[in-house]
Amino acid sequence: EEAAHDGLKWKYYDPEALEDASWKLSILSQLDSAVDKGEVWVAYQPKFDLKQRKIVGAEALARWTHPEKGPIAASEFIAAAEQHDRIGKLTDFVLEQAISAAAIVNRKHPGFGIAVNLSARLLTDRSLVLRLGAMMARHHLSPDLLTLELTETAELAGSGAAFDMLSSLRDLGVTIAIDDYGTGLSTLDYLKKIPASEIKIDQSFVKTILDNRSDLVMVQSTIALAHSLGRKVVAEGVEHQGVLDALVDMGCDVAQGYIIGRPMSIDSLTKRLSADRRSSVA
Ligand code: C2E
Ligand code: MG
Ligand code: MG
Ligand code: MG
């Protein structure tokens, strides 16, 4: 009775929250074995260079098709894995797949770059630097073709070791990008400290630049700021031609979004690259 009148306790008894917690625990406990069983795969979303007017690379995005539950959203299993420090195995799997795919695509399309998301939590695992170097060597992928998109950067707060590891990764020759820029905390501080040569502006700002003047101004000034610091800018979540045109006008470097291409299988991406090349030659 009393619980029902107490906001905090009420939340504790919320059956939906409980269901959500047990769902998370259940998918979390299955994630590692799902990777082993081949239920997890990688989709690739094109990155389109706005000056060269062509696809210059792709971002690897984890996908999980559960045999009973069907597709599980990345936002669900990745958030759960990050919260419980279980993101390591998935990350190694995605890196291996993406690096091997990029090496194959490069035989036909030299210079094609690949981006993999890296949770900032993993910047405590120094062995990742060695594993990553070994993977690239094994697949003969030049490190300058790999970008690590740093997510969950709030986790970096005050960790000198994490910043040291970022420098080591950069020394390997890979590109560091700050993902979801504009969301989270103290992003200006991160902009200063993270050795990133690429800034990805979060889709929540990009989507609304034509409807919302303050979003337009923020995207515009972020591009100016990043360029003054010598960094490249990628706009995420571009769904409409008008937004794409506006980004070109603002001098944005690269765009990603449904209007260019949804995340797709490596086969579809390869076909798309060959078709684009044929049409640009014609
Ligand atoms: P992200 O890295 O910011 O990736 C962009 C997300 O936006 C992807 O969602 C993509 O499918 C979606 N997206 C791309 N273009 C559009 C668009 O035009 N409109 C809309 N509405 N959405 C668009 P996804 O694949 O569900 O991934 C969500 C997040 O999960 C990613 O955000 C990333 O933070 C994380 N993630 C995915 N794969 C991995 C992974 O292998 N490792 C880690 N650590 N995180 C991953
Ligand atoms: Mg990303
Ligand atoms: Mg993002
Ligand atoms: Mg995100």
Side-chain angles (χ1 to χ4, degrees):
E1 258 288 48
E2 211 173 90
H5 297 285
D6 181 326
L8 282 171
K9 281 181 185 162
W10 176 251
K11 195 161 174 29
Y12 185 76
Y13 291 114
D14 181 353
E16 260 182 45
L18 270 179
E19 211 176 284
D20 187 54
S22 71
W23 156 258
K24 266 193 185 153
L25 238 86
S26 142
I27 57 171
L28 195 64
S29 66
Q30 295 175 59
L31 178 59
D32 282 359
S33 73
V35 170
D36 292 331
K37 287 187 282 190
E39 294 167 20
V40 176
W41 55 283
V42 180
Y44 297 86
Q45 186 180 35
K47 288 177 107 164
F48 185 81
D49 188 296
L50 295 170
K51 282 153 192 146
Q52 301 178 59
R53 307 294 300 177
K54 69 169 194 173
I55 295 170
V56 288
E59 174 178 3
L61 292 159
R63 294 288 177 266
W64 181 359
T65 312
H66 192 283
E68 287 122 39
K69 295 171 176 138
I72 304 177
S75 54
E76 286 192 46
F77 65 88
I78 282 163
E82 276 170 343
Q83 280 160 27
H84 298 269
D85 278 322
R86 296 282 293 275
I87 193 78
K89 180 164 179 157
L90 176 84
T91 302
D92 273 20
F93 171 77
V94 175
L95 277 168
E96 183 82 43
Q97 295 283 312
I99 289 171
S100 125
I104 293 168
V105 172
N106 262 277
R107 291 181 203 154
K108 254 189 155 177
H109 306 277
F112 176 85
I114 192 76
V116 176
N117 292 287
L118 184 71
S119 169
R121 278 172 197 255
L122 288 176
L123 295 174
T124 50
D125 172 17
R126 289 217 54 103
S127 67
L128 179 68
V129 181
L130 287 174
R131 289 205 306 284
L132 199 53
M135 270 186 219
M136 289 185 293
R138 187 153 24 87
H139 293 287
H140 307 288
L141 186 79
S142 166
D144 62 317
L145 295 174
L146 178 69
T147 297
L148 296 174
E149 298 188 358
L150 269 193
T151 64
E152 301 281 296
T153 42
E155 295 294 318
L156 281 170
S159 166
F163 288 108
D164 286 351
M165 196 174 139
L166 274 178
S167 305
S168 307
L169 287 169
R170 214 182 129 113
D171 292 344
L172 258 188
V174 306
T175 299
I176 308 288
I178 301 177
D179 207 343
D180 306 332
Y181 184 79
T183 65
L185 301 164
S186 21
T187 36
L188 273 180
D189 192 37
Y190 295 135
L191 195 54
K192 192 167 100 181
K193 289 181 186 156
I194 297 175
S197 34
E198 182 178 300
I199 309 295
K200 296 192 77 175
I201 305 179
D202 193 70
Q203 48 176 285
S204 58
F205 300 98
V206 175
K207 278 201 175 116
T208 40
I209 52 173
L210 297 183
D211 322 305
N212 184 325
R213 167 126 186 103
S214 63
D215 282 356
L216 179 76
V217 170
M218 281 191 274
V219 168
Q220 218 161 18
S221 41
T222 301
I223 293 171
L225 173 65
H227 283 170
S228 315
L229 294 168
R231 328 265 175 111
K232 208 164 96 176
V233 182
V234 181
E236 302 189 294
V238 184
E239 294 181 350
H240 301 286
Q241 188 63 46
V243 171
L244 193 67
D245 295 341
L247 290 165
V248 172
D249 288 344
M250 289 190 263
C252 184
D253 303 287
V254 173
Q256 243 182 310
Y258 293 169
I259 192 171
I260 291 144
R262 290 187 178 245
M264 58 185 94
S265 69
I266 191 67
D267 289 345
S268 303
L269 180 73
T270 309
K271 282 185 191 129
R272 170 77 186 269
L273 288 170
S274 300
D276 283 6
R277 194 160 72 170
R278 274 196 300 277
S279 66
S280 70
V281 165

